[in-house]
Amino acid sequence: MKDDNQKKISGFSSMRKRDKIKWIAKNFFKDPEVVIKELSSYWHSNDEQQKILDGFSENTISNFPMPFGVAPNFLIDGKTYCVPMVIEESSVVAAASAAAKFWMERGGFKTEIVDTKKLGQVHFFWYGDRQDLFENFVNAKIKLMEDTNEIASNMKKRGGGILNLELLDFTEKKNNYYQIKASFETCDSMGANFINTCLEQFAKSLSSFYQELTGQDDCIEIIMSILSNYTPECLVKAWVECPIEELGDFKNGMTAEIFARRFNDAIEIAEIDTYRATTHNKGIYNGIDAVIIATGNDFRAIESCGHTYAAEGSYSSLSHCSIEDGIFKFWLEVPMAIGTVGGLTSLHPIAKRSLELLENPTAKELMSIVASTGLAQNFGAIRSLITTGIQQGHMKMHLQNILRHLEASEEEYEKANLYFKDRVVSFGSVRNFLKLNRQTISQTD
Ligand code: MEV
């Protein structure tokens, strides 16, 4: 064990990358030389490209590779997409692709952008007369809008800008606490920088307006100004539907009618039970996050917003199902504040390719694509769960990973895939199978 003093350092951020790696390797690893080699091996071979990647973060020592896959055959609003997905979990891309193909043959995914409103807040304390604050807010609002004219001019040219400013009273929950709640349209950009710049200007203008009005510097105290990642009005709806009999027959001899009924039951369970809803929604975000990451958007923002949306009332399923007049309908309504210009979307070389693969969609089109992928993922998961169980598909992938780990030959892969078709896969059982197989071969040689 290294002693704790060796693990402390000052001036780390200004060290050269190689020195950072050396220091880490020496002080945190048993085999420093191997670690140095390994970390360096993931650097981009092109220095310029590496600089771009380093620019996304700080104290970078290497790159962290993740699989970049695609799910073809997504028919969304009449247009066919091949959807890029960055995810490390096996079965996710396969499930999305299978569900996409299934629905492509049944009319595809349909979507509707409900709204694209984004939000931000200035949190402040007001120490004066409440009436002064509210009565003068009409004029304060004019000043706040005027003072952000320049900041918002480009956004306005693109058809967006500041939509509204509201003054909210939270004093019942916390003494002196008020809020400016601002709404924005940021067109094809995620808009975080624009929103935060506007908010910080609002805060300054708000202070000076009321200080001048009251003649008192201490009538107002700004606590903070920041966008809200909860954007329930930046919302997309995606759905699939078809007559029940067109669902076809399913594994284990399940008819379309039984499938539809069991599917609907599974969704209702996720609507009722928080424990199930969490796993259910996690499955939706398997699809959503994978596209969000591939297109250079902020998956933490998308996830936190989605879960808050799912928790309105009590935490519940984001997707819903109905069976009416012989029609099976399955849909998802999910907030999605994303962009297709600016930020990482225009800088990350693979994110740019992902967007190109999607034929450079607008933010609204990307909202539709992402929501459809989430819905496809959810459909794939529920279909497996109510028919064969999830392990069958997972185990197939798990088996490949174990075989790779045990350095199986091509012939062994074939034999193992056949043998484990209807047997339980575990690391031990695969190792034993290979051992026995190898022994038999050496005896017959
Ligand atoms: C696994 O990553 C996701 C699932 O658990 C989702 C679900 O249970 O609906 C399969």
Side-chain angles (χ1 to χ4, degrees):
M1 282 294 272
K2 309 277 175 191
D3 104 38
D4 258 13
N5 277 327
Q6 279 176 278
K7 298 187 212 158
K8 293 181 193 157
I9 188 164
S10 56
F12 182 77
S13 63
S14 39
M15 278 160 67
R16 289 184 329 158
K17 192 192 280 184
R18 270 183 205 285
D19 296 330
K20 283 189 182 118
I21 296 185
K22 267 191 208 155
W23 180 81
I24 287 167
K26 190 170 132 231
N27 292 298
F28 293 87
F29 291 90
K30 280 200 270 337
D31 38 11
E33 286 313 314
V34 177
V35 172
I36 291 171
K37 235 177 155 175
E38 191 171 4
L39 287 176
S40 317
S41 75
Y42 285 100
W43 289 357
H44 202 290
S45 54
N46 177 321
D47 282 353
E48 285 311 306
Q49 292 292 324
Q50 185 56 50
K51 261 192 211 147
I52 293 174
L53 296 177
D54 287 344
F56 299 147
S57 188
E58 298 82 32
N59 285 347
T60 55
I61 52 172
S62 188
N63 302 311
F64 184 93
M66 288 267 280
F68 176 60
V70 295
N73 298 320
F74 262 94
L75 180 63
I76 303 169
D77 299 325
K79 189 168 167 182
T80 304
Y81 294 93
C82 181
V83 177
M85 299 178 80
V86 171
I87 186 148
E88 84 300 351
E89 185 177 328
S90 50
S91 304
V92 169
V93 177
S97 305
K101 190 136 188 275
F102 179 91
W103 283 106
M104 178 173 245
E105 288 152 13
R106 292 163 179 80
F109 295 82
K110 311 271 171 23
T111 73
E112 180 197 333
I113 306 297
V114 181
D115 206 341
T116 55
K117 203 181 280 172
K118 290 170 187 166
L119 299 172
Q121 301 163 303
V122 178
H123 305 268
F124 67 97
F125 289 165
W126 173 252
Y127 298 111
D129 184 346
R130 183 187 181 280
Q131 212 174 333
D132 280 347
L133 177 66
F134 274 85
E135 274 180 2
N136 291 291
F137 187 64
V138 184
N139 290 331
K141 201 166 154 178
I142 295 169
K143 179 172 168 56
L144 265 57
M145 293 300 262
E146 270 172 13
D147 290 356
T148 42
N149 258 342
E150 212 177 299
I151 303 169
S153 69
N154 266 342
M155 195 57 90
K156 270 191 202 151
K157 277 185 209 145
R158 283 154 48 196
I162 302 153
L163 301 178
N164 194 22
L165 298 175
E166 269 178 281
L167 174 60
L168 304 176
D169 182 343
F170 280 84
T171 51
E172 274 192 12
K173 294 196 172 158
K174 188 168 173 63
N175 283 345
N176 307 316
Y177 172 37
Y178 295 85
Q179 205 185 85
I180 301 288
K181 189 176 177 198
S183 53
F184 303 85
E185 170 56 58
T186 63
C187 307
D188 283 334
S189 67
M190 199 274 177
N193 271 332
F194 167 69
I195 294 175
N196 286 333
T197 310
C198 288
L199 292 169
E200 290 189 4
Q201 183 56 54
F202 291 156
K204 279 187 205 142
S205 303
L206 192 75
S207 291
S208 62
F209 176 86
Y210 281 104
Q211 280 162 347
E212 260 175 48
L213 185 91
T214 59
Q216 287 174 337
D217 279 358
D218 56 2
C219 64
I220 188 165
E221 183 186 355
I222 303 293
I223 301 298
M224 58 190 162
S225 316
I226 185 75
L227 63 75
S228 170
N229 283 121
Y230 186 42
T231 53
E233 288 177 86
C234 189
L235 197 68
V236 52
K237 191 173 168 183
W239 68 95
V240 286
E241 62 186 327
C242 74
I244 291 180
E245 64 274 14
E246 284 179 20
L247 287 168
D249 286 335
F250 294 85
K251 287 188 181 153
N252 297 348
M254 195 182 285
T255 62
E257 284 73 23
I258 295 177
F259 174 84
R261 201 261 300 152
R262 282 171 65 83
F263 195 98
N264 192 41
D265 287 337
I267 302 302
E268 281 180 5
I269 290 168
E271 286 168 342
I272 291 166
D273 177 61
T274 300
Y275 287 86
R276 175 57 204 147
T278 308
T279 319
H280 180 92
N281 290 343
K282 188 270 183 187
I284 294 173
Y285 279 96
N286 274 346
I288 290 182
D289 283 356
V291 191
I292 290 292
I293 296 173
T295 55
N297 276 283
D298 180 345
F299 65 93
R300 286 88 58 210
I302 300 302
E303 279 251 0
S304 65
C305 182
H307 292 298
T308 311
Y309 190 72
E312 290 253 333
S314 74
Y315 190 88
S316 176
S317 169
L318 283 165
S319 64
H320 307 280
C321 182
S322 69
I323 300 172
E324 275 166 29
D325 303 327
I327 303 291
F328 171 88
K329 184 167 178 181
F330 178 45
W331 72 96
L332 171 71
E333 210 176 67
V334 71
M336 182 103 30
I338 52 178
T340 53
V341 297
L344 217 61
T345 60
S346 330
L347 290 171
H348 195 290
I350 306 296
K352 280 198 283 191
R353 288 288 177 214
S354 293
L355 289 166
E356 200 181 332
L357 175 67
L358 295 170
E359 296 175 44
N360 294 316
T362 61
K364 284 183 181 173
E365 283 165 342
L366 188 60
M367 286 167 81
S368 298
I369 296 166
V370 176
S372 301
T373 313
L375 188 66
Q377 205 67 55
N378 194 209
F379 179 80
I382 305 302
R383 177 167 66 172
S384 296
L385 287 168
I386 62 164
T387 54
T388 57
I390 208 78
Q391 284 309 82
Q392 197 179 77
H394 275 192
M395 280 305 141
K396 234 189 250 167
M397 309 290 256
H398 188 43
L399 174 61
Q400 310 314 306
N401 287 339
I402 297 173
L403 289 170
R404 200 168 309 125
H405 186 87
L406 295 172
E407 294 175 0
S409 66
E410 246 176 65
E411 198 186 332
E412 286 171 332
Y413 262 87
E414 253 177 56
K415 283 185 181 167
N417 279 325
L418 205 65
Y419 180 82
F420 284 103
K421 215 168 174 183
D422 45 14
R423 287 182 172 85
V424 176
V425 176
S426 71
F427 194 84
S429 64
V430 179
R431 192 181 42 207
N432 281 345
F433 171 81
L434 287 182
K435 197 168 149 197
L436 280 174
N437 190 53
R438 285 169 188 171
Q439 272 169 2
T440 320
I441 288 175
S442 70
Q443 276 161 15
T444 50
D445 278 350

